[in-house]
Amino acid sequence: MELIPAPRAVDGPTRCGVELDEDTTLWAGPGTGTTERWLRSTLGPALGLPLTPGPKDGANSLRLCLDDELEPEAYKLSAVVGRGLEIRGGGPAGVFWGAQTLRQLLGADAFRRAPVRPGLVHGIAHRIIEDAPRFGWRGLMLDVARHFMPKDGVLRYLDLMAAHKLNVFHFHLTDDQGWRLEIERYPRLAEIGSWRARTRYGHRASPLWEEKPHGGFYTQDDIREIVAYAAERHITVVPEIDVPGHSQAAIAAYPELGNGDVVDTGSLSVWDDWGVSKNVLAPTDATLRFYEGVFEEVLELFPSTFVHIGGDECAKDQWRKSPAAQARISELGLAGEDGLQSWFVRHFDTWLTARGRRLIGWDEILEGGLADGAAVSSWRGYAGGVTAARSGHDVVMCPEQQVYLDHRQDAGADEPVPIGYVRTLEDVYRFEPVPPQLTEEQARHVLGAQANVWTEVMEDPGRVDYQTFPRLAAFAEAVWSDLPAPADRDFADFERRMTAHYPRLDALGVAYRPPAGPLPWQRRPGVLGRPIEGAPRTCEEARDREPGDPAPWKRDPAWEKRHKGHRRAEIRPHLRTCCKTDHRPGEWANAS
């Protein structure tokens, strides 16, 4: 049985089975309306099945119902001869995930938008499937700030997430290179901040440029549609508004937000290059009030409990030079520029908490301490997540070295715009969200994990597909299924099941990376990337360090010998890649 992600338990199949045809009826019990609508709007048209309403006990029926003996996202799918099909879920989401399993059982034709074999009777072998997810947070982060994805593309990715039983969509809406959300009280954020004059093609070392404007933004009605569409698929949309770094697009729109005492913020435009801009928000009360206004509208649009505030990679250069920033540090009695960033984050932590929401941010927000309800996205390896969990904070694991899907999938020369480590389908399949050094109680703070898709070198939806798939299918199984330890996982069986999954992706129009390598039109010859050689540390090898422990390059004479005589600027790329898993949060980021 070629299901992805793999279910917990299957009884069967046997030779006899259940058929679905034009006479199959659909009965939907209370609380199952989202699945009922999805079956009639998506699965029915794909197979040419009207799925008309019918009795609960019909022999040729599909029945949906809730079962309070199951976990909220758990389901039980039964295909029993003479009794038809039944999907029971512990909650509405459980019923919906059961319907996704039903779709896979019906074959690749069920993933199309119209029947390709009209009149065909579709059968499912007699079986009972019982299933439930391992983690409650099974996420995908999509960066639409670097390369804008129009609304229809976002809705398509929500469908792809649903097909893989992923339930959190982390929506990265703002960055140095673009602001993608309409804010009614600050219209220039969209009018000016959403467009850049040109775009570098490839990594920032590439000499190639696309000399045309790039951009776009979502109106508030677009966002309402996206959030409602996601909710119908039991997906929560978590918005991200970056502060205080990654903010050049906002400063270009409203120069008063920047550090005008050290840079001519009125001359800034939306950044057209990659990397991390040094133009960060000024730590003023006016800036706080401005972003409170932004977040007020964000809270109206996004019902998610969590709101992501970024908080990462905030360059401190301008704050060090700014008399106003230094006066603020002195006024507040802070420990330098790092304390100023912590003050900024804690302000919005308190502000969101007062409104019944929870702040979540990249692991740099640990610097300076957090309120009890704040959560951490651990991206610089596992160490930030370990620190957070040991401090009683909830964690979403998304270590760059493991589940950043912008990283290359192979070491071959044909791999388009190669970024980072080689992270193969098997590597992602063996990803383990819970670090082994956590106790059982600490591990409960690991809400789950997410795969991150950063789009600097993904100039169109085809490139996004190529980098995301098929690895997202492996990730989905790693966070849904009850798998053994990474080294003991049966990747050969997963590959076997993928042979049936590729036709499903084909039917959905996904431009995935084929197992044999990129197709000719998927290659980008001559476009520079940033490959990193070697292998990143695995979860078992990762070792967090207590505060005060020396960094690896300070305790390893061989490392110092290799880099003797190098300027710190030359060492910085190494710190930002090869060994950052071992560093305290923020340590490598400040090496410049």
Side-chain angles (χ1 to χ4, degrees):
M1 184 175 58
E2 291 78 18
L3 294 177
I4 291 176
R8 286 190 177 181
V10 180
D11 181 11
T14 63
R15 289 187 178 182
C16 54
V18 175
E19 294 181 346
L20 280 80
D21 56 29
E22 292 185 354
D23 296 325
T24 300
T25 59
L26 175 61
W27 180 86
T32 65
T34 53
T35 303
E36 177 187 15
R37 289 188 290 273
W38 181 85
L39 288 168
R40 289 208 173 100
S41 65
T42 304
L43 188 61
L47 302 177
L49 302 177
L51 297 176
T52 56
K56 180 178 180 180
D57 55 356
N60 185 13
S61 66
L62 170 55
R63 301 178 300 280
L64 311 175
C65 57
L66 300 183
D67 185 340
D68 58 11
E69 293 186 3
L70 299 174
E71 300 169 23
E73 288 193 280
Y75 69 88
K76 181 177 181 180
L77 189 156
S78 303
V80 178
V81 177
R83 297 183 57 190
L85 285 159
E86 181 179 83
I87 301 174
R88 307 178 73 86
V95 178
F96 185 74
W97 304 134
Q100 300 307 311
T101 295
L102 172 64
R103 189 189 199 186
Q104 291 195 19
L105 292 172
L106 289 167
D109 286 357
F111 289 79
R112 297 190 178 274
R113 296 187 182 182
V116 294
R117 296 169 183 82
L120 182 69
V121 174
H122 297 272
I124 296 177
H126 178 115
R127 74 185 79 202
I128 298 174
I129 299 172
E130 297 184 65
D131 201 6
R134 180 185 176 195
F135 293 105
W137 187 301
R138 307 180 303 279
L140 172 69
M141 190 230 68
L142 180 63
D143 166 21
V144 296
R146 273 51 177 270
H147 278 101
F148 179 66
M149 180 176 285
K151 180 196 68 179
D152 284 353
V154 174
L155 299 180
R156 173 176 174 265
Y157 259 82
L158 292 170
D159 282 330
L160 291 171
M161 289 178 63
H164 293 83
K165 300 186 176 73
L166 300 175
N167 68 343
V168 178
F169 179 56
H170 176 168
F171 209 5
H172 184 79
L173 289 162
T174 74
D175 218 294
D176 297 310
Q177 296 85 1
W179 183 285
R180 305 297 178 211
L181 173 63
E182 177 189 32
I183 300 296
E184 292 179 348
R185 74 185 70 185
Y186 304 126
R188 295 207 302 270
L189 287 172
E191 294 168 0
I192 296 173
S194 69
W195 292 93
R196 58 178 180 262
R198 63 175 187 168
T199 298
R200 189 182 291 279
Y201 190 40
H203 181 253
R204 58 183 176 270
S206 169
L208 305 176
W209 293 86
E210 186 178 41
E211 298 286 352
K212 69 177 184 180
H214 175 87
F217 66 91
Y218 308 104
T219 68
Q220 294 205 355
D221 279 348
D222 289 337
I223 293 296
R224 293 183 183 99
E225 180 182 357
I226 288 168
V227 169
Y229 195 86
E232 281 283 301
R233 286 146 185 79
H234 298 277
I235 296 171
T236 298
V237 182
V238 175
E240 180 180 355
I241 305 295
D242 246 316
V243 294
H246 288 288
S247 297
Q248 182 164 327
I251 297 169
Y254 290 91
E256 62 270 25
L257 295 174
N259 296 282
D261 55 347
V262 293
V263 64
D264 180 10
T265 56
S267 67
L268 293 177
S269 59
V270 176
W271 208 23
D272 59 9
D273 209 349
W274 309 132
V276 180
S277 170
K278 294 187 182 299
N279 292 297
V280 302
L281 297 175
T284 66
D285 288 338
T287 300
L288 297 180
R289 300 294 87 77
F290 182 98
Y291 272 86
E292 286 172 0
V294 169
F295 281 115
E296 283 175 3
E297 294 192 27
V298 167
L299 297 192
E300 291 174 1
L301 294 168
F302 296 92
S304 165
T305 299
F306 286 101
V307 175
H308 208 292
I309 57 91
D312 64 318
E313 297 181 320
C314 179
K316 310 296 195 307
D317 307 61
Q318 292 181 358
W319 288 351
R320 293 188 186 100
K321 298 175 183 177
S322 165
Q326 292 301 311
R328 199 70 199 255
I329 290 171
S330 177
E331 170 195 344
L332 297 170
L334 301 174
E337 294 76 24
D338 288 343
L340 194 58
Q341 179 175 351
S342 176
W343 165 81
F344 207 111
V345 170
R346 288 182 67 87
H347 173 85
F348 286 103
D349 190 352
T350 302
W351 190 90
L352 288 167
T353 299
R355 287 154 181 80
R357 305 297 183 96
R358 292 181 64 185
L359 179 146
I360 184 169
W362 305 111
D363 53 58
E364 286 95 328
I365 68 171
L366 286 164
E367 300 161 24
L370 291 174
D372 290 342
V376 171
S377 301
S378 185
W379 75 276
R380 296 178 298 176
Y382 289 91
V386 170
T387 299
R390 286 177 170 172
S391 302
H393 291 288
D394 289 339
V395 179
V396 176
M397 285 293 185
C398 48
E400 176 188 15
Q401 304 88 340
Q402 312 299 327
V403 289
Y404 268 35
L405 300 187
D406 51 316
H407 281 214
R408 56 192 173 136
Q409 302 181 65
D410 189 87
D414 287 337
E415 206 63 28
V417 200
I419 298 295
Y421 294 104
V422 172
R423 292 287 83 194
T424 65
L425 184 67
E426 181 173 0
D427 291 329
V428 176
Y429 184 67
R430 298 190 189 281
F431 166 60
E432 171 51 49
V434 180
Q437 57 265 53
L438 293 181
T439 66
E440 184 176 346
E441 182 174 346
Q442 292 165 350
R444 293 193 187 101
H445 285 290
V446 180
L447 301 177
Q450 66 185 34
N452 291 347
V453 180
W454 299 102
T455 62
E456 287 94 335
V457 299
M458 302 181 207
E459 73 280 1
D460 57 45
R463 282 285 292 127
V464 177
D465 279 5
Y466 180 91
Q467 292 298 136
T468 305
F469 289 96
R471 292 184 295 180
L472 192 67
F475 173 82
E477 185 153 316
V479 293
W480 174 281
S481 303
D482 190 14
L483 299 176
D488 298 328
R489 294 177 187 175
D490 190 348
F491 180 68
D493 178 70
F494 178 77
E495 280 190 303
R496 178 189 64 78
R497 288 180 283 123
M498 280 300 298
T499 60
H501 200 63
Y502 287 119
R504 298 169 190 149
L505 298 178
D506 289 330
L508 289 167
V510 178
Y512 58 85
R513 182 189 189 276
L519 298 168
W521 55 87
Q522 293 175 320
R523 299 167 188 162
R524 298 292 185 273
V527 182
L528 291 179
R530 182 182 62 92
I532 303 173
E533 301 306 323
R537 289 171 175 251
T538 65
C539 182
E540 287 78 4
E541 294 168 338
R543 291 293 179 267
D544 62 307
R545 296 172 25 255
E546 297 299 328
D549 285 357
W553 67 92
K554 293 179 181 177
R555 65 175 186 251
D556 179 3
W559 196 96
E560 289 188 359
K561 183 177 180 181
R562 285 198 302 274
H563 295 284
K564 185 177 181 179
H566 287 198
R567 292 179 297 110
R568 294 185 74 191
E570 294 171 338
I571 295 175
R572 181 185 177 101
H574 179 85
L575 303 186
R576 293 178 61 87
T577 55
C578 301
C579 55
K580 65 185 177 185
T581 299
D582 255 353
H583 299 176
R584 292 197 311 272
E587 192 165 42
W588 61 268
N590 295 324
S592 59

